[in-house]
Amino acid sequence: MDANIFISWSGDRAKKIALALHSWLPDIIHHARPWMSEVDIDPGARWAGELAVKLESMKFGIICLTPETSNSPWVLFESGALAKVLKDSIVCPYLFEMPIENLREGPLTQFNAVTADEQGTRRLIRAVNKSLESNFYLSEERLEKAFDKWWPDLKQKMDLIPKGVGLIGGPAVGSERENLGLDFVYKNRGPALEKFSEFLEAEIARAGGGEDDACISFVSTSMRGFLVPAIARYDAEDILKKAVAKKCKLRIMMVHPDCADIRAKSEHRDKGQIQRDIQTSLSTLRTLGVDQASVRYYKMGPTVFGIATSNKMLLNPYPSVGESQRCFSLIVHKTKYETDIYQQYKQSHFDDLWTKDGLSEPIPDTDWSSPKQ
């Protein structure tokens, strides 16, 4: 049978909830066929195309929400697409650690939400059951018995989900959270890139809409850390292709190959390895249609891998000994305060490298036209 229940999620905790529902729903309703990107997209498949196909066949959508992802652009896109594709489709936000009242504003208010507790999950299961074709529909009595039997299994999985992981704003930050523009913190770069891809897509859409200030800036040792990560809902090459197609301004800053071995030593990498990463990055960027003038070298040792849009920024520090991608990452936003994290880094870490004389240099034609491999 084809999948008939679409499970949407964004962020680490929502993914755990989605995975729990994905394996649990068929225990209650045998004809339920859940689909979620983390499990059901084959390695190497283009997730955007696969997603579009699957959305067309769904009859029910579950939107797993946590406080930190309730306004995720990705969640809003999927829920809107699901509701639009099939007029008779049903979309139900499933709220973890947040009351229904928190959805009073925003596009998700058009749907009937439930909380991720016993009462709310029972309501969810009833709605899923009603969405099935009549020959697969369970009687209310059988459904209630099945739920009473299997609910403890789901609750056990939900109880293991960490409280508040991924969202900053606890006692350590307190009232300064908004002043600093703090959004998310992740243990490493992978999930941060996956989340940040939503903001890259939004910036590219701004460029497509004629916004002149739309710009995506990169500062890194090479572009390998952006291009290579194998994450289900993240396609770096596709993002750059879209940026080129929509004429979104790009500023890509990589360390000068002459200085790369300094970084290689601190990462315990072989001499010449980072130079090869830079050369491969140039070749990939050229193939994707990125303009040579959008890429530059700088001769300073990198301190933070960073990506900035007009209002969002990902920061991934370089440890003194080790790879930055294994270190924690922050996502921050621009606020009205000049001392927020975004504006502290935007000028010194991104703009100055690009605009001030002597801090960077254009990519030589010989490197761009035929990078050594």
Side-chain angles (χ1 to χ4, degrees):
M1 291 178 60
D2 292 334
N4 52 22
I5 301 172
F6 184 88
I7 304 179
S8 176
W9 57 275
S10 176
D12 292 342
R13 294 201 299 161
K15 180 171 73 172
K16 289 181 172 65
I17 297 165
L19 286 169
L21 287 173
H22 185 276
S23 62
W24 180 78
L25 281 168
D27 291 332
I28 304 291
I29 304 172
H30 297 323
H31 292 286
R33 295 292 183 270
W35 188 96
M36 64 176 290
S37 57
E38 182 72 11
V39 176
D40 298 307
I41 291 183
D42 293 331
R46 291 282 182 176
W47 62 263
E50 185 85 3
L51 175 64
V53 171
K54 291 302 179 183
L55 279 172
E56 293 284 347
S57 66
M58 296 300 159
K59 294 295 184 181
F60 196 94
I62 301 173
I63 313 298
C64 298
L65 295 179
T66 58
E68 65 270 25
T69 61
S70 58
N71 291 312
S72 160
W74 179 257
V75 164
L76 299 181
F77 165 76
E78 287 190 337
S79 57
L82 186 62
K84 182 179 180 180
V85 168
L86 292 176
K87 293 182 179 179
D88 60 344
S89 65
I90 301 174
V91 181
C92 181
Y94 189 62
L95 313 184
F96 183 79
E97 288 189 349
M98 59 183 295
I100 294 177
E101 291 75 19
N102 283 17
L103 292 181
R104 284 178 177 171
E105 298 181 359
L108 294 178
T109 56
Q110 63 184 301
F111 308 121
N112 291 321
V114 299
T115 50
D117 52 21
E118 182 174 359
Q119 182 178 0
T121 307
R122 192 183 293 271
R123 287 178 56 202
L124 173 68
I125 288 297
R126 289 170 179 166
V128 170
N129 188 49
K130 289 179 180 179
S131 73
L132 298 177
E133 297 177 8
S134 57
N135 53 324
F136 297 142
Y137 182 86
L138 290 179
S139 68
E140 184 175 343
E141 182 180 0
R142 289 185 63 193
L143 185 69
E144 294 300 319
K145 286 183 178 179
F147 181 88
D148 290 339
K149 177 181 179 180
W150 291 105
W151 162 249
D153 286 25
L154 180 63
K155 184 177 184 302
Q156 184 179 31
K157 293 178 181 179
M158 302 279 273
D159 288 343
L160 294 175
I161 297 174
K163 306 299 181 183
V165 172
L167 177 68
I168 293 183
V173 177
S175 61
E176 288 300 302
R177 177 189 171 195
E178 178 56 34
N179 293 2
L180 293 172
L182 290 163
D183 287 335
F184 304 96
V185 60
Y186 297 90
K187 290 182 179 180
N188 53 62
R189 189 191 298 174
L193 278 173
E194 183 176 33
K195 177 65 180 178
F196 201 75
S197 64
E198 301 172 8
F199 307 125
L200 295 178
E201 296 276 4
E203 192 74 358
I204 293 168
R206 292 185 68 246
E211 299 290 338
D212 294 335
D213 66 333
C215 179
I216 301 174
S217 300
F218 300 84
V219 176
S220 60
T221 301
S222 73
M223 286 291 282
R224 177 179 179 274
F226 175 74
L227 293 168
V228 171
I231 307 169
R233 297 195 301 175
Y234 172 80
D235 189 333
E237 292 192 7
D238 186 60
I239 289 170
L240 289 176
K241 285 179 182 178
K242 289 177 181 177
V244 171
K246 296 294 185 180
K247 301 187 184 305
C248 182
K249 186 186 302 180
L250 295 174
R251 289 181 170 180
I252 299 172
M253 190 74 65
M254 294 187 290
V255 73
H256 197 290
D258 292 347
C259 306
D261 281 338
I262 298 174
R263 185 66 219 169
K265 184 177 181 180
S266 67
E267 292 185 12
H268 302 296
R269 301 177 71 186
D270 294 337
K271 185 176 181 179
Q273 189 171 353
I274 288 181
Q275 286 99 322
R276 290 191 291 273
D277 289 344
I278 294 170
Q279 292 159 5
T280 301
S281 297
L282 290 176
S283 180
T284 302
L285 293 173
R286 185 185 59 184
T287 301
L288 295 173
V290 175
D291 187 74
Q292 181 179 351
S294 298
V295 190
R296 296 179 70 91
Y297 286 148
Y298 70 106
K299 290 190 175 182
M300 293 179 290
T303 58
V304 178
F305 168 91
I307 311 175
T309 69
S310 58
N311 58 7
K312 292 280 188 177
M313 185 179 293
L314 184 154
L315 296 171
N316 174 215
Y318 283 89
S320 58
V321 179
E323 297 181 26
S324 62
Q325 61 185 339
R326 302 181 188 278
C327 189
F328 77 93
S329 294
L330 298 175
I331 293 179
V332 301
H333 68 271
K334 182 180 180 181
T335 75
K336 62 182 179 181
Y337 304 104
E338 294 183 358
T339 55
D340 68 21
I341 295 173
Y342 177 96
Q343 293 180 83
Q344 288 179 38
Y345 273 82
K346 187 63 165 63
Q347 186 63 46
S348 61
H349 196 69
F350 294 91
D351 296 345
D352 285 352
L353 284 181
W354 197 266
T355 59
K356 287 191 174 181
D357 293 339
L359 295 184
S360 65
E361 63 182 50
I363 302 296
D365 291 342
T366 52
D367 286 13
W368 185 256
S369 59
S370 55
K372 298 177 182 178
Q373 296 299 317

